[in-house]
Amino acid sequence: MQRTLSIIKPDGVSRKLIGKVIKKLEKSRLKIIAMKMLHMTRAQAEGFYAVHRERPFFASLTDFMCSGPVVVMVLEGENAISIYRDLMGATNFKNAAEGTIRREFATDIEKNVVHGSDSPESAAFEIGYFFNSFEIVK
Ligand code: CMP
């Protein structure tokens, strides 16, 4: 069993895509074991994306991520990290496979509707960033 962090980004929330994303999750083999809506401060967005601090898109990305509410979830299942990454599709929606969340809904490489952890180490950091153990159901 593995866990991964999912975020429905501000574009997904403002475009009323929460239900559509959750529908795809519930059709998959992943189980939602924690969920909440929150609006990050700039400092919280910068802390979350600290690994990208040196990237040219860091300021724009963190601006975007604190521009409105997001929905954060913990997903659990066998190979949850790669299953969710397959479900999301490539970061750049133009390269995302047919049927993926980003292919269907994303409009921009940055405003790409969803985020998912890319490794067990980042999943542990990202889940701990938003949830304590009482907020995750067994
Ligand atoms: P995410 O999976 O949340 O991980 C980092 C985010 O940075 C990514 O999705 C995009 O939203 C954003 N991103 C990645 N590459 C670029 C890029 N070349 N230009 C702008 N934003 C990017």
Side-chain angles (χ1 to χ4, degrees), residues 33-58:
I33 58 168
M35 172 158 63
K36 61 186 165 190
M37 179 180 268
L38 53 93
H39 190 154
M40 280 187 268
T41 62
R42 179 175 310 275
Q44 287 167 339
E46 288 174 353
F48 181 75
Y49 278 119
V51 289
H52 294 307
R53 194 170 290 281
E54 304 306 326
R55 304 282 193 106
F57 56 80
F58 181 72

Side-chain angles (χ1 to χ4, degrees), residues 9 49 52 57 61 91 102 109-112 114-116:
K9 297 184 179 186
Y49 278 119
H52 294 307
F57 56 80
L61 173 64
T91 303
R102 286 167 170 164
I109 190 167
E110 181 176 271
K111 296 178 180 59
N112 59 358
V114 281
H115 166 84

Side-chain angles (χ1 to χ4, degrees), residues 32-88:
I32 300 169
I33 58 168
M35 172 158 63
K36 61 186 165 190
M37 179 180 268
L38 53 93
H39 190 154
M40 280 187 268
T41 62
R42 179 175 310 275
Q44 287 167 339
E46 288 174 353
F48 181 75
Y49 278 119
V51 289
H52 294 307
R53 194 170 290 281
E54 304 306 326
R55 304 282 193 106
F57 56 80
F58 181 72
S60 166
L61 173 64
T62 51
D63 264 359
F64 164 56
M65 290 301 288
C66 66
S67 67
V70 297
V71 173
V72 289
M73 288 176 269
V74 180
L75 310 176
E76 186 176 72
E78 228 170 277
N79 299 315
I81 294 172
S82 66
I83 286 183
Y84 185 50
R85 290 182 75 78
D86 288 348
L87 199 60
M88 289 191 298

